[in-house]
Amino acid sequence: MAETSIRAEVRGRMGLITLNRPAALNALSLEMIRGLTGALLEWAQGPQVFAVAIRGEGKEGPCGAFCAGGDIRFFHRAATQGDPALEDFFTEEYALNHLIHTYSKPYIAFMDGVVMGGGMGISQGASLRVVTERTRMAMPETAIGLFPDVGGGFFLSRCPGRIGEYLALTGQVIAARDAVRAHLADGYMLSGQLGPIWETLAQTPFETGEAVEHWIATRFIANGDAFTLDVGKIDSIFAADTVSDILVRLQDDGSDWAKTTGELLRKRSPLMLHVVLEQVRRARLMGLADDLRMERDLVRHCFNTAHLGRPGPASETVEGVRALAIDKDHSPRWSPARIEDVTADMVQPFFESPWPAHAHPLRQLR
């Protein structure tokens, strides 16, 4: 693994990982995914490592930014140039997500700063998920014509009530207090604690991985403020059967929050909003491995929407990335352009696997 993108070291009884691509907010590259996977597999077998901790390098030093997601510029280039590394990226990323969720040793994620997309994928499976006053968490994929992947269907569908549907569709950013109450984090620390805690982890002769977890959990501080999210409205509105019905309920509600939320949904990819609502509701009845296989099917269709006659360069996802990160005009040309124009025939083929079960790239996950 290259020192320029990830640092993995054994100190004391800890395997310590620092994502080290601060200029890109530690957005994941294929190289980083492979480095993470290699370190975790090695440490799973090694008797010296009792537990693993992961953080991101900020622009001003350790922490301050965890991970902003996958490298969407790479997605655009690979899709427009037909680079097969795009397929490798998602297969290996989702396998890494599964490895973290099922890891045999404690895995502690210090989710300081931005935690979005792929950053959620390498933190939501942690045995302890630590947030701070600087945490900004989201699954914003509908803004680029994608869906909340990296196991997003699995962990968002297990949020209380309909918070999962709300976060998946809108891509809204939440802070620490809402992350804990939405079951997307386990505890809260002040960001100033993280550096000393990291060094103590490296220097303390812990006797077991469980002792590591216990010691960190005793450092959590109260974050007892109420939800800033209006959970009652979210539950009543985002329980609607379809995206169109959700918009009707928002319009009927008439509050400023409902108006703002409706306007936000109108900016997202209409096609992918329908796909995402179906994804989250299917995932609620799935285990992690099946959810990741479903998401691997979805991402293939996102970049090659054959049933709509739209190859990679013409896909919603490539268009969304173009508008956000390439041309930066923030004016994606979605097709269809209106939520009301999306039909079931456009949505359902996303959930048909392009592979037979015995040849699925994630067939080995259990």
Side-chain angles (χ1 to χ4, degrees), residues 14 17 91 100 112 117 130 136-137 141 143 176 192 201 221 227 242 292 295 302 325 329 353 364:
M14 295 294 301
I17 298 172
T91 296
I100 291 169
D112 189 35
V130 182
R136 295 295 179 265
M137 179 183 291
E141 288 80 5
L201 286 174
I221 60 176
F227 264 124
T242 68
L292 287 167
E295 293 181 7
C302 282
D329 58 25
S353 182
Q364 78 281 5

Side-chain angles (χ1 to χ4, degrees), residues 100-134:
I100 291 169
H101 275 269
T102 60
Y103 201 57
S104 58
K105 299 180 179 182
Y107 175 100
I108 300 115
F110 291 98
M111 304 159 69
D112 189 35
V114 61
V115 188
M116 298 184 183
M120 293 284 275
I122 59 171
S123 58
Q124 283 305 306
S127 52
L128 278 181
R129 301 162 298 173
V130 182
V131 289
T132 78
E133 80 281 1
R134 299 190 297 199

Side-chain angles (χ1 to χ4, degrees), residues 345-359:
D345 289 343
M346 298 175 185
V347 174
Q348 291 308 312
F350 278 87
F351 296 91
E352 297 170 5
S353 182
W355 300 281
H358 69 270

Side-chain angles (χ1 to χ4, degrees), residues 246-267:
I246 289 171
L247 285 171
V248 170
R249 292 189 185 187
L250 287 168
Q251 184 173 351
D252 291 345
D253 179 273
S255 65
D256 289 343
W257 172 85
K259 181 180 178 181
T260 299
T261 303
E263 291 172 349
L264 181 61
L265 289 175
R266 290 288 184 189
K267 296 178 182 178

